[in-house]
Amino acid sequence: MTNPGRAHDVVAIVDFGSQYTMLIARRVRELHVYSEIVPWHRAAQALSQLQPKALILSGGPASVYEPGAPTIPHEWLDGRIPVLGICYGMQVLAHTLGGRVAPGQKREYGPAFLHPLEPEHPLFRGLPARMKVWMSHGDRVEALPPGWRAIARTDNAPHAVIADRSDRRIGVQFHPEVAHTPHGKEILAHFLFDICGCQGDWTPSTFIEETIRDIRERVGEANVIAGLSGGVDSAVAATLVHRAVGDQLTAVFVDHGLLRLGEATQVVETFQKAMRMRLVTVRAAEAFLSDLEGVTDPEEKRKRIGHRFIRVFEEEARRLARGGDFRFLVQGTLYPDVIESASSRDTATARTIKTHHNVGGLPDDMRFELLEPLRYLFKDEVRAVGLALGLPEEIVWRHPFPGPGLAIRCLGEVTPERLERLRLADAIFLEELRAAGLYRATAQAFAVLLPVRSVGVMGDYRTYAEVVALRAVTTEDFMTADWARIPHDLLARVSTRIVNEVPGVNRVVYDITSKPPGTIEWE
């Protein structure tokens, strides 16, 4: 898809390897300013194409005075456009423009207090005289470039914030993008609006209007096919395309029998009846379960499910194509996928489709042009677009669900009986989270059926039944995650219900492992 920021102010974020780079982009977009991440080693070409209104230089683990340290071409720092350097980005500014950066006598990691030296500076206007900020650095600016001055300090950093004469180039030693800097979003807003003059007009509604116009222009009268999983990404992508081209889109929903309780029915009700989408449902549970018979290795499960999905989708696509070939395939690719792919793909020409959890990866002889209407969006933006499109909240706010479905949450062999056991336990857990108002407070929550049995007592009888593990995490980016502190009385209620209502389960445990060292899923 065409860059959605083409009609708006664009802020380019030059990535020097910081763990917070994507968070910077998200914070800028939360202020309704479009941003894109540019790797430092491709900055020259990317910035020339983007022609950004401003630059933000990210942090990073390197030291600017080391040979081969990451940097960007000097001409982008010459003052023609505003620049905000964050941590390492500030050091790049200082070092490139004639200042001196050296190892700090005292490393500074964690909270510090910022004291503005120019309280009326546009960056600080209306903010407190003493602000908590989050530091994470070993180097610091020892000497400023000619014409620059310090406009804020901390106890350990006399040059905690620096600015040039025009106040259009600024460096901050702390991280305004993290939650541990309480006034960080206001500081970013001052930079974007008061210093850069950005409009702040990049909203879900404008994104929808522009994307629909772009899809219509590109698709014309051609036919489009989408693999619909029921998850938020594929749901929003398909709905956007449907809004643009109507019945030129055919959505294929493969019910592989590995979905959560009631999901298959909900997908049909939502997209075929409520959204009036041309939806084809393929009931293939028997074939998938046959492939999984006797399989316990998680990678083998994924492989067999992926291969079967390819065959089912391919067969259905060919059957449907008898009424007219499909030129385009819709995928719910998101911006983090694009960033992490490390390569730019030309979506304007036909090519083999990559392996994807929604469509399983299609054979080499099936070639489509991709429609990826969400490829410049983060997950929270996708949800905002979904709500603006009128999708129901239970679809938009649905927790992430793995492509292989319950097969990888059913540890050990996958059988119809064990799947039903897991499906019921999972439904009870999610139902109780929703009733307690905690479903959206967790980023992902689910049940896992373990391939072990334990002794229990029910009434006058001893039991020997399976164990269910509950998993709930909080996270912003899914790269790291912490286990959710769910109230004990809620966990007790869930445990009691599962043991009483799910045949074959007599014990429930709660996973309190963070990521890292664990992963969010068990397999």
Side-chain angles (χ1 to χ4, degrees):
M1 296 301 297
T2 304
N3 182 324
R6 60 184 177 177
H8 303 272
D9 296 329
V10 177
V11 173
I13 299 163
V14 180
D15 181 19
F16 291 119
S18 171
Q19 61 181 319
Y20 300 133
T21 300
M22 278 199 277
L23 189 54
I24 299 171
R26 289 180 59 190
R27 293 291 179 259
V28 172
R29 292 185 182 196
E30 286 169 6
L31 294 164
H32 304 302
V33 177
Y34 182 74
S35 64
E36 275 199 37
I37 295 172
V38 174
W40 69 270
H41 56 280
R42 294 206 300 270
Q45 178 182 358
L47 294 177
S48 295
Q49 291 174 345
L50 282 176
Q51 289 299 306
K53 191 175 183 72
L55 295 184
I56 296 180
L57 312 182
S58 86
S63 294
V64 293
Y65 45 78
E66 294 177 345
T71 188
I72 67 170
H74 184 282
E75 59 265 26
W76 287 98
L77 305 179
D78 63 6
R80 286 178 298 161
I81 63 172
V83 181
L84 175 66
I86 296 174
C87 199
Y88 179 84
M90 168 186 176
Q91 295 160 19
V92 167
L93 269 174
H95 179 75
T96 304
L97 299 177
R100 187 175 75 255
V101 177
Q105 295 180 351
K106 179 182 176 184
R107 292 176 178 267
E108 197 169 20
Y109 297 101
F113 287 95
L114 186 76
H115 305 274
L117 301 174
E118 297 182 17
E120 293 306 311
H121 189 279
L123 200 67
F124 304 128
R125 197 169 294 139
L127 297 180
R130 182 175 182 264
M131 290 177 280
K132 185 179 178 181
V133 297
W134 188 259
M135 293 286 196
S136 180
H137 66 100
D139 296 340
R140 70 178 191 177
V141 177
E142 294 286 349
L144 298 179
W148 287 61
R149 68 195 189 282
I151 60 173
R153 65 171 180 83
T154 67
D155 291 341
N156 188 49
H159 301 144
V161 183
I162 60 175
D164 70 352
R165 290 190 185 97
S166 70
D167 289 326
R168 286 165 53 83
R169 292 178 294 176
I170 296 172
V172 298
Q173 188 61 74
F174 60 92
H175 288 273
E177 70 274 21
V178 302
H180 300 300
T181 301
H183 293 282
K185 194 169 180 179
E186 294 166 86
I187 290 171
L188 288 172
H190 287 325
F191 174 71
L192 294 172
F193 302 124
D194 300 336
I195 293 171
C196 302
C198 292
Q199 296 301 307
D201 58 357
W202 196 68
T203 64
S205 59
T206 58
F207 170 80
I208 290 169
E209 292 170 8
E210 292 160 8
T211 303
I212 286 174
R213 185 170 60 245
D214 184 51
I215 291 170
R216 286 174 178 162
E217 180 181 324
R218 185 162 166 226
V219 170
E221 301 298 319
N223 291 323
V224 185
I225 193 168
L228 188 63
S229 71
V232 62
D233 302 341
S234 69
V236 175
T239 303
L240 257 177
V241 175
H242 181 253
R243 185 72 61 86
V245 301
D247 284 347
Q248 291 170 241
L249 170 71
T250 300
V252 177
F253 169 53
V254 177
D255 181 2
H256 48 33
L258 304 170
L259 298 171
R260 290 169 288 200
L261 188 67
E263 275 192 323
T265 300
Q266 186 184 34
V267 168
V268 174
E269 291 285 335
T270 299
F271 295 98
Q272 189 174 66
K273 296 185 178 179
M275 307 302 290
R276 300 187 179 280
M277 190 178 294
R278 179 177 287 175
L279 177 67
V280 176
T281 301
V282 183
R283 309 288 182 185
E286 187 175 337
F288 279 89
L289 288 175
S290 176
D291 288 346
L292 292 171
E293 188 174 348
V295 179
T296 59
D297 179 72
E299 286 308 309
E300 184 63 22
K301 288 180 186 178
R302 291 176 184 272
K303 184 186 298 182
R304 292 194 182 199
I305 292 168
H307 287 172
R308 173 61 65 178
F309 196 104
I310 291 169
R311 289 194 290 272
V312 171
F313 191 91
E314 178 186 26
E315 182 180 340
E316 191 61 26
R318 286 177 176 165
R319 185 186 71 81
L320 292 168
R322 293 168 193 161
D325 287 341
F326 294 103
R327 179 179 167 190
F328 294 93
L329 173 71
V330 180
Q331 281 197 287
T333 308
L334 302 191
Y335 194 39
D337 303 325
V338 176
I339 296 168
E340 291 163 11
S341 73
S343 65
S344 176
R345 294 177 298 151
D346 177 14
T347 60
T349 56
R351 61 196 184 284
T352 304
I353 308 306
K354 68 171 184 175
T355 300
H356 188 275
H357 73 277
N358 283 343
V359 297
L362 298 176
D364 289 344
D365 61 353
M366 286 190 69
R367 300 181 70 85
F368 297 96
E369 293 182 40
L370 279 191
L371 282 177
E372 297 173 303
L374 310 179
R375 66 180 277 110
Y376 291 99
L377 299 188
F378 290 104
K379 178 74 80 172
D380 52 338
E381 295 169 326
V382 171
R383 289 195 165 111
V385 168
L387 290 173
L389 286 167
L391 282 169
E393 288 200 6
E394 56 266 30
I395 294 287
V396 171
W397 288 102
R398 178 172 286 167
H399 286 179
F401 190 58
L406 294 180
I408 60 168
R409 293 177 180 173
C410 185
L411 277 60
E413 185 178 5
V414 179
T415 66
E417 296 77 19
R418 297 190 76 228
L419 274 176
E420 189 61 19
R421 200 169 289 156
L422 173 57
R423 199 173 275 122
L424 291 172
D426 187 76
I428 289 169
F429 186 29
L430 298 184
E431 178 185 319
E432 291 291 344
L433 281 176
R434 288 189 176 98
L438 294 176
Y439 181 79
R440 282 174 57 175
T442 57
Q444 195 165 351
F446 53 91
V448 180
L449 186 64
L450 305 184
V452 295
R453 294 180 180 270
S454 70
V455 175
V457 177
M458 291 184 178
D460 296 326
Y461 299 94
R462 290 171 68 83
T463 60
Y464 190 57
E466 291 191 297
V467 179
V468 164
L470 304 178
R471 178 74 159 145
V473 299
T474 58
T475 180
E476 280 200 352
D477 56 14
F478 291 89
M479 302 298 291
T480 62
D482 196 12
W483 60 278
R485 271 60 170 179
I486 293 176
H488 293 176
D489 59 344
L490 175 57
L491 288 173
R493 188 160 60 250
V494 172
S495 175
T496 299
R497 284 195 60 192
I498 289 175
V499 171
N500 287 335
E501 298 176 30
V502 181
V505 175
N506 68 355
R507 192 176 298 270
V508 177
V509 297
Y510 186 55
D511 183 352
I512 59 169
T513 310
S514 296
K515 176 189 178 181
T519 55
I520 295 176
E521 297 285 350
W522 277 47
E523 286 197 343

